[in-house]
Amino acid sequence: MGYRTPSASASDDAPATKILPGQVQRVPESQFPRATEATSGLSRTTPDNGPTSSTGLSPVTEAPRLSADRLRYLGAATRRIARSMDLDEVMLGLCRTTVPTFADTVLVYLRDPLPVGDERPTGPLVLRLRRTEPAEKPVFAEAVCEVRPGGALAEVLRGVRPVFADTPAAQAALPELLGGSGVSCVPDGQRGILAPLRGQRRVIGAALFLRLPDRMAFEPDDLLVAAQLATHSALGVDRTVLYGREAYIADELQRTMLPETLPRLTGVRLASRYLPAAETARVGGDWYDAIPLPGSRVALVVGDVMGHSMTSAALMGQLRTTMQTLAGLDMPPQEVLHHLDEQAQRLGTDRMATCQYAVYDPVSHRITIANAGHPPPVLLHLGGRAEVLRVQPGAPIGVGGVDFEAVELDAPAGATLLLYTDGLVESRLRDVWTGIEQLRKKLAATAQLTGPDHPPPLEALCDEVLDMLGPGDRDDDIALLAARFDGIAPSDVAYWLLEPEDAAPGRARRLVRRALERWGLEELSDSVELLVSEVVTNAVRYAARPVTLRLLRTEVLRCEVGDDVPQLPRVRQARPIEEAGRGLYVVNQLSRRWGATRLSTGKVVWFELNINPSSTLNRSVAR
């Protein structure tokens, strides 16, 4: 089982079975006694009193006991080293299983920086002291050493196999590793073992095991024990480095796919949070989004891709892009989820996610929500009452063959809608419905602090929600999107239908002038009439059905013109001899911003103009 222990009648120099460099030995569980602690069953021998029940290995005269002790020790030690997915934990596992059972002191050096996978290191080979055990022991000379190509240390590391500290190769290599003054701290004789740490592709470090003078020296079979400890530790380091790189890439991939900033929209205020999972968990595929829609509406989205890997993060990016495209077509929420489900099935099998899609209309003060297997949203009313909305749960995205349903609800001014992923309300310590109830109570308690007439600030509300997480509640990443419904008052909306005829632009100018006079915005009349005339002229030229004209007065003045022609207009530079083609150029020059959105029934062209701050103040006082 990795080495052969000499029997009582065998000579002390009986040959040992060799372990190939980098070979991992598997010991069957049947070979281990029930006690598997790394410190059990090994005895200590001193020159004076013989074997004791302390920390050394049994003497050679106890050959049958010797083999069982070493196998039991290696089995427990390698299991502890192999079970960790964190570099520091691997180092801690090696040190704690080594001291005091196998050695009195251990120094572990690792390559700096550690190479990842097939990555070819550049520059010199530098070893840095990463851990010593016992930790309170003084550091043996320098913590960093540069391995000289062709030097004694490089030769020992290239040889892969552990060597005793009193061999000529080690005596030449230790001054380079420890520095000149550190060599004096190494006990005489075979009381030190220098073991290279070799991963799957290259040497990644070295370990130095030392025994004090009051303890028997290492034996030849201890080289095999040191080789096993070094091999398992090096493979563990390789594994954690690869895992850390994958987790970093997945986390960066996910973060780049989340919106950098939320849009500033009319009639709604937004806040969001993204919280990655704890260090012990892998990155997930949670996302959120706020997508402007025609008519000053907004789509609010929160989703969670099932699984925790880089694949989940990539799938999240694909689904979010698809969602934005579908939202741009202005489909009903249930249709958006239906097409998203079809896209997930085209991406491959087992591509599943939960998602919630809501559309808020600030003019009608209504919200339409469709759900695909996601936790229900919570609505915090202005008076402080928190309500879990009754939305059909639906099936997750990717299941296929399932119809999604939408529900339309009131969205009163001052209310706050909270969309979130299950990482906020579900963990190993609580089920999802217990977490949802805790969230509801947390929102209600937070609202009580600001009183019944003032909703809590959005940013502070998000922070308070995240504060409900305990130490054991970070099993998954969390996406959180909060929307405060301000709405647009009916008195700030003007709406008309215009027949597609030559007289439509003139009628539009008159209607707009009267609305601006009613709102006290006469200073904008010339600009708005000119721009409305240009946009309406383009609309009625090709429309077959009545053209819609709407003005919205908020912090800005927004004008929207809708028709039944799906082709979107574009700005072009008209030639001097052309009489037409300058309309959108004028809109682009005079408006604060403008755009065009395709609808299932046509399109909407809109533009915005800044309002004089004094006019906005007068409007607030009048209310």
Side-chain angles (χ1 to χ4, degrees):
M1 301 305 299
Y3 58 87
R4 186 176 63 202
T5 304
S7 62
S9 59
S11 62
D12 290 346
D13 57 349
T17 302
K18 295 182 179 180
I19 298 177
L20 296 177
Q23 180 179 356
V24 179
Q25 296 290 324
R26 306 280 306 182
V27 182
E29 293 292 335
S30 60
Q31 297 284 338
F32 301 141
R34 291 185 180 178
T36 57
E37 292 297 330
T39 58
S40 66
L42 299 180
S43 62
R44 175 174 179 174
T45 303
T46 63
D48 298 329
N49 56 8
T52 66
S53 57
S54 185
T55 59
L57 292 176
S58 303
V60 177
T61 56
E62 296 183 10
R65 178 68 175 171
L66 181 69
S67 177
D69 287 347
R70 281 193 169 97
L71 290 176
R72 183 165 58 250
Y73 165 70
L74 278 176
T78 54
R79 280 196 299 272
R80 176 170 182 177
I81 294 171
R83 71 189 179 192
S84 176
M85 295 299 292
D86 178 77
L87 179 60
D88 291 334
E89 288 294 327
V90 171
M91 295 291 96
L92 179 63
L94 171 62
C95 292
R96 293 294 169 82
T97 56
T98 299
V99 178
T101 309
F102 181 67
D104 294 309
T105 303
V106 59
L107 288 78
V108 184
Y109 288 81
L110 290 182
R111 204 166 180 148
D112 187 21
L114 281 167
V116 181
D118 295 326
E119 178 180 284
R120 288 186 173 272
T122 59
L125 171 57
V126 177
L127 298 182
R128 181 180 296 275
L129 182 64
R130 292 296 297 260
R131 189 171 183 91
T132 63
E133 189 72 23
E136 64 271 10
K137 289 283 185 180
V139 177
F140 282 59
E142 299 178 8
V144 179
C145 78
E146 182 176 327
V147 181
R148 297 191 302 271
L153 181 57
E155 291 299 320
V156 172
L157 296 179
R158 188 180 296 113
V160 177
R161 304 188 182 199
V163 295
F164 286 122
D166 63 348
T167 61
Q171 287 182 342
L174 285 176
E176 187 177 348
L177 179 67
L178 302 177
S181 59
V183 180
S184 61
C185 300
V186 178
D188 296 333
Q190 293 184 353
R191 299 186 182 278
I193 294 178
L194 179 58
L197 301 179
R198 181 175 180 82
Q200 293 183 349
R201 296 172 177 84
R202 61 184 65 85
V203 172
I204 60 172
L208 180 60
F209 305 98
L210 301 173
R211 283 186 179 177
L212 298 176
D214 65 340
R215 185 172 178 177
M216 70 174 295
F218 287 113
E219 301 171 355
D221 283 342
D222 291 327
L223 292 176
L224 303 176
V225 176
Q228 286 286 294
L229 294 174
T231 297
H232 282 275
S233 299
L235 294 176
V237 170
D238 265 356
R239 182 180 65 252
T240 58
V241 171
L242 284 171
Y243 170 82
R245 174 62 62 89
E246 179 184 348
Y248 171 79
I249 293 174
D251 183 64
E252 288 299 307
L253 176 63
Q254 180 172 4
R255 287 183 179 276
T256 56
M257 291 179 179
L258 293 174
E260 293 184 2
T261 58
L262 293 173
R264 299 185 61 181
L265 303 170
T266 301
V268 62
R269 284 172 285 170
L270 303 171
S272 64
R273 294 289 187 276
Y274 171 74
L275 198 64
E279 300 257 339
T280 55
R282 302 189 71 181
V283 68
D286 293 14
W287 88 91
Y288 62 88
D289 216 339
I291 308 170
L293 299 178
S296 299
R297 295 171 300 146
V298 57
L300 307 172
V301 187
V302 165
D304 182 4
V305 174
M306 296 184 181
H308 297 82
S309 66
M310 191 154 44
T311 303
S312 300
L315 179 60
M316 178 271 287
Q318 292 173 306
L319 293 182
R320 178 174 178 248
T321 301
T322 302
M323 178 72 78
Q324 290 179 327
T325 302
L326 294 172
L329 299 177
D330 199 29
M331 295 180 177
Q334 64 272 22
E335 289 297 320
V336 170
L337 294 185
H338 172 74
H339 289 286
L340 189 67
D341 177 65
E342 290 182 335
Q343 177 64 17
Q345 295 177 66
R346 284 191 289 267
L347 292 175
T349 58
D350 299 330
R351 298 292 192 266
M352 299 181 65
T354 63
C355 182
Q356 196 147 220
Y357 185 87
V359 175
Y360 170 63
D361 188 342
V363 176
S364 64
H365 296 264
R366 303 281 287 177
I367 186 167
T368 306
I369 307 175
N371 195 3
H374 205 78
V378 180
L379 184 65
L380 178 62
H381 293 269
L382 183 59
R385 180 173 64 91
E387 174 188 9
V388 179
L389 298 182
R390 295 182 179 180
V391 181
Q392 290 291 334
I397 298 297
V399 172
V402 180
D403 291 332
F404 298 98
E405 298 182 13
V407 59
E408 187 175 352
L409 304 169
D410 287 329
T416 304
L417 183 72
L418 201 70
L419 304 178
Y420 53 91
T421 55
D422 59 357
L424 179 65
V425 294
E426 185 179 24
S427 69
R428 292 170 295 171
L429 305 180
R430 60 181 178 181
D431 62 81
V432 61
W433 288 107
T434 300
I436 291 174
E437 179 62 18
Q438 292 178 356
L439 172 62
R440 189 192 66 80
K441 292 180 179 179
K442 182 69 173 180
L443 290 173
T446 304
Q448 295 299 324
L449 300 177
T450 57
D453 299 328
H454 301 282
L458 272 184
E459 297 294 337
L461 182 65
C462 291
D463 292 336
E464 288 293 327
V465 167
L466 294 181
D467 283 344
M468 66 180 278
L469 297 173
D473 295 335
R474 294 287 306 283
D475 301 332
D476 198 359
D477 48 346
I478 298 170
L480 177 66
L481 180 63
R484 174 71 44 75
F485 300 145
D486 293 332
I488 299 176
S491 59
D492 292 328
V493 180
Y495 181 84
W496 304 279
L497 283 175
L498 304 173
E499 292 296 329
E501 55 189 14
D502 295 339
R507 182 166 180 258
R509 289 194 296 270
R510 292 192 297 271
L511 294 172
V512 165
R513 187 186 311 117
R514 294 170 187 169
L516 295 177
E517 291 173 354
R518 186 168 64 251
W519 289 339
L521 300 177
E522 294 88 347
E523 71 274 10
L524 297 178
S525 291
D526 292 341
S527 298
V528 175
E529 288 183 39
L530 173 61
L531 300 183
V532 165
S533 179
E534 295 291 346
V535 176
V536 171
T537 298
N538 289 338
V540 300
R541 180 175 300 172
Y542 306 104
R545 297 178 181 176
V547 173
T548 62
L549 173 61
R550 185 167 73 169
L551 289 182
L552 300 174
R553 180 183 64 161
T554 56
E555 288 77 14
V556 297
L557 181 69
R558 181 183 177 97
C559 177
E560 300 172 348
V561 177
D563 58 59
D564 59 348
V565 180
Q567 286 77 19
L568 298 181
R570 61 183 179 88
V571 178
R572 68 184 184 89
Q573 188 70 41
R575 290 178 296 180
I577 61 175
E578 292 180 323
E579 295 183 1
R582 296 179 175 83
L584 289 181
Y585 178 79
V586 174
V587 173
N588 185 57
Q589 292 296 315
L590 297 183
S591 64
R592 174 177 176 267
R593 60 178 187 140
W594 75 279
T597 305
R598 183 179 285 110
L599 307 177
S600 57
T601 57
K603 68 174 180 294
V604 169
V605 179
W606 57 269
F607 63 84
E608 292 178 351
L609 293 174
N610 289 322
I611 294 179
N612 191 312
S614 61
S615 300
T616 304
L617 178 63
N618 294 336
R619 175 168 60 95
S620 301
V621 172
R623 285 184 175 179

